[in-house]
Amino acid sequence: MTEDAPAPRRRGRPSRKAAAEGPDARTRILRAARTEFAERGYDKTSIRQVAKAAGVDAALVHHYFGTKDEVFAAAVELSFEPALVIPEVLGGPPEGLGERLAHYFLSVWENPATRAPLLAVLRSALTHEAAAKVLRGFVLRRLLERIAADLDVPDATFRAELAASHMIGIAMLRYVIRAEPLASADPEDIVAMVAPTLQRYLTES
């Protein structure tokens, strides 16, 4: 190697130029990851592709997020924005929890900006354990269990899983399989039918 040749870059360490880009670069990576996973699916998306779409070095993606699984999980979290929704869901009276949760869940899926990455998660979870782990960890542990635990009811994990199974089943039939008449039903009609069941799962002793 000649004296003026660039030194090899260590894997996982961002260049000075890339690191100086700071939080804006991290945001671009997340947005790019959400788009890439939605369009390509989990298996066909690589860290290098995410980095290219974000306009950064692949080392910076590893620096911020580590593994592909962790990038995937962060992209999913970006779609749900749990820090904003938990107070919204829990903020009202307990007797309206099922309705608020059903409204929130359907609003996320009805929004084209968040539907695409969630479709990628759901489809990938059926065939790839890493995607299934993200779905289990995020939807159950970080969303539904927090709701059930806040209500201080027994068997919070079991209740959360029942609620999740109900909502994920609706998502599969409505948005993935597109089974009629569910696929064309008014979201408010779905909420009216589903909310009492979610309420019973999460609050009844």
Side-chain angles (χ1 to χ4, degrees), residues 95-164:
E95 59 269 21
L97 175 62
E99 183 176 356
R100 294 193 302 274
L101 183 58
H103 268 297
Y104 166 67
F105 181 80
L106 283 173
S107 71
V108 172
W109 280 94
E110 290 295 309
N111 183 347
T114 50
R115 182 192 307 150
L118 295 178
L119 279 172
V121 174
L122 204 54
R123 289 168 176 156
S124 298
L126 298 177
T127 58
H128 201 286
E129 174 56 25
K133 182 179 179 181
V134 168
L135 189 62
R136 288 194 302 267
F138 184 82
V139 174
L140 294 178
R141 304 295 181 263
R142 302 187 63 179
L143 182 62
L144 293 175
E145 276 191 12
R146 287 175 62 187
I147 293 172
D150 187 80
L151 296 172
D152 194 26
V153 293
D155 303 316
T157 300
F158 182 56
R159 291 166 178 265
E161 289 177 351
L162 287 174

